[in-house]
Amino acid sequence: MRPRRVLLLASVLAGALSALATLFDESRMALQSGAVALAALAVLALLPNTTAGRVRVALAAGLGLLALVMVLELRWLPEPSATSQLLVPSYSPLDGSPAPSPHPSALLDEWQEGIDRNRAVQTGELVGLLALAYAVAALPPRRRTRRALLARILAVLVLVAALAEAWGDLRDAPLTGALGVAWSALLAVLVAAVVLALSGARSDRFGLLPLGALLVAGVAAVDLGHLVGTWSSWWWFAEASRNAYLTYGVAVDTGPDISPAVEAAVALAGPALLTLGALRAGQGNGDRGNAGQGDSGRGNAGQDDSGRGDAVAADGDEHDGRDNYDKHDGPDDTGPAEST
């Protein structure tokens, strides 16, 4: 079996295992399988073909950075505990007097650490998206007016939807604080929207490149909403001027959550389709270039034929020169006979 098919099959199987593990809340296995899937795609992008070398290197760099982000998340993943449910009651005076903190400080500190880790993950994903954006921009544009227009419209819609969702999750938290926390996620959405806008004019015949760019932009938009919503909730609970009261709740297990599994599958399918589409688009251009070189080679062969024709003509001229020389010798031989 060819190495390309082996790597592609390994990436698909690892991606499916990651989505399945996320469905059953196996976070460690999901991250491991996702990192393997992206690493296999990175090696696949580096295999030599007719695609430009800078495109293949940029694709491999972007996929490698995304795989490293998953490895970093795997390192930060806490060890599984005996119970997965946690109920923390909070106490505060009920007479309206301000409370020092509506929640225990240890819980708020742990919450803040989770937000900081999420910010670091978003920064790594931003760098990976920048590498993928360079690879897409390096592809040659094609005459696909309808796809280019559709991709630009979708890019604007995704950007507007992401900003609207983040604004709704912000609630009454300060905008400046949200920008200070989620700036990397916001830039990731902007870069993903630019990639989607550029992908339409550089699409291959099957449209894998814009489809992958659309999935990547959607995942970036969802990540922005999650980060802003998490920070807004932390700010609301950490504000000292708010009061709280004792509440009791019952934790109910509703079964496996399909939404995180779908998000994990889409997060892996987006870079995969984008990479395959970019390789196909660059490979098609390389084939046309080789065809042009073949035509020029045939032209050179025609020039060689004409050169051989010139050589034959030169030989003919030399032969004619020898004939003229023989004819010239004839009168010299008959000349003395006439004089005699």
Side-chain angles (χ1 to χ4, degrees):
M1 188 177 293
R2 297 180 180 179
R4 297 180 186 277
R5 295 181 180 179
V6 173
L7 292 172
L8 183 59
L9 181 60
S11 177
V12 171
L13 293 179
L17 181 60
S18 177
L20 185 62
T22 306
L23 180 62
F24 291 98
D25 200 17
E26 295 290 340
S27 300
R28 188 170 298 276
M29 182 179 295
L31 290 174
Q32 292 173 350
S33 302
V36 171
L38 293 178
L41 285 175
V43 177
L44 176 63
L46 284 177
L47 292 181
N49 53 23
T50 55
T51 307
R54 57 179 180 174
V55 174
R56 292 187 285 107
V57 172
L59 289 174
L63 294 172
L65 287 172
L66 295 179
L68 287 178
V69 168
M70 287 191 174
V71 173
L72 187 62
E73 289 181 310
L74 184 62
R75 182 179 179 182
W76 285 338
L77 191 67
E79 294 295 334
S81 57
T83 175
S84 60
Q85 304 293 341
L86 179 63
L87 180 62
V88 180
S90 60
Y91 300 89
S92 182
L94 300 178
D95 56 356
S97 59
S101 177
H103 284 286
S105 58
L107 180 62
L108 292 177
D109 292 341
E110 185 178 357
W111 199 343
Q112 179 64 41
E113 290 179 1
I115 295 175
D116 293 338
R117 293 174 181 177
N118 199 354
R119 292 174 59 189
V121 168
Q122 295 297 326
T123 304
E125 292 181 354
L126 172 61
V127 179
L129 287 179
L130 287 174
L132 295 180
Y134 176 81
V136 174
L139 292 172
R142 302 171 183 268
R143 295 181 180 179
R144 301 187 185 274
T145 307
R146 294 181 180 179
R147 287 188 181 182
L149 180 60
L150 180 60
R152 292 169 185 173
I153 294 175
L154 289 176
V156 174
L157 292 178
V158 169
L159 183 59
V160 172
L163 294 178
E165 181 68 20
W167 182 263
D169 293 334
L170 187 61
R171 290 177 289 187
D172 57 348
L175 179 60
T176 55
L179 291 177
V181 172
W183 64 269
S184 57
L186 180 59
L187 288 180
V189 173
L190 293 176
V191 172
V194 171
V195 171
L196 178 57
L198 294 176
S199 63
R202 293 162 172 80
S203 174
D204 58 326
R205 183 176 60 182
F206 298 98
L208 297 179
L209 180 60
L211 180 58
L214 178 61
L215 295 179
V216 169
V219 171
V222 171
D223 291 340
L224 174 63
H226 285 174
L227 182 58
V228 172
T230 303
W231 179 82
S232 176
S233 300
W234 174 88
W235 180 87
W236 194 89
F237 283 109
E239 188 180 3
S241 61
R242 297 187 179 273
N243 296 325
Y245 54 89
L246 178 62
T247 59
Y248 295 95
V250 178
V252 178
D253 189 5
T254 60
D257 192 359
I258 300 178
S259 179
V262 174
E263 291 180 4
V266 171
L268 292 175
L273 293 177
L274 190 147
T275 301
L276 296 178
L279 292 176
R280 288 186 63 88
Q283 189 173 3
N285 181 69
D287 291 339
R288 288 194 300 271
N290 293 334
Q293 293 177 0
D295 294 338
S296 62
R298 288 193 295 270
N300 294 332
Q303 293 178 2
D304 294 339
D305 294 338
S306 62
R308 288 193 297 270
D310 294 338
V312 172
D315 294 339
D317 293 339
E318 293 177 358
H319 180 68
D320 293 338
R322 288 193 297 271
D323 292 341
N324 293 333
Y325 178 77
D326 295 337
K327 293 178 182 178
H328 180 69
D329 291 341
D332 292 339
D333 295 337
T334 58
E338 292 178 356
S339 60
T340 306

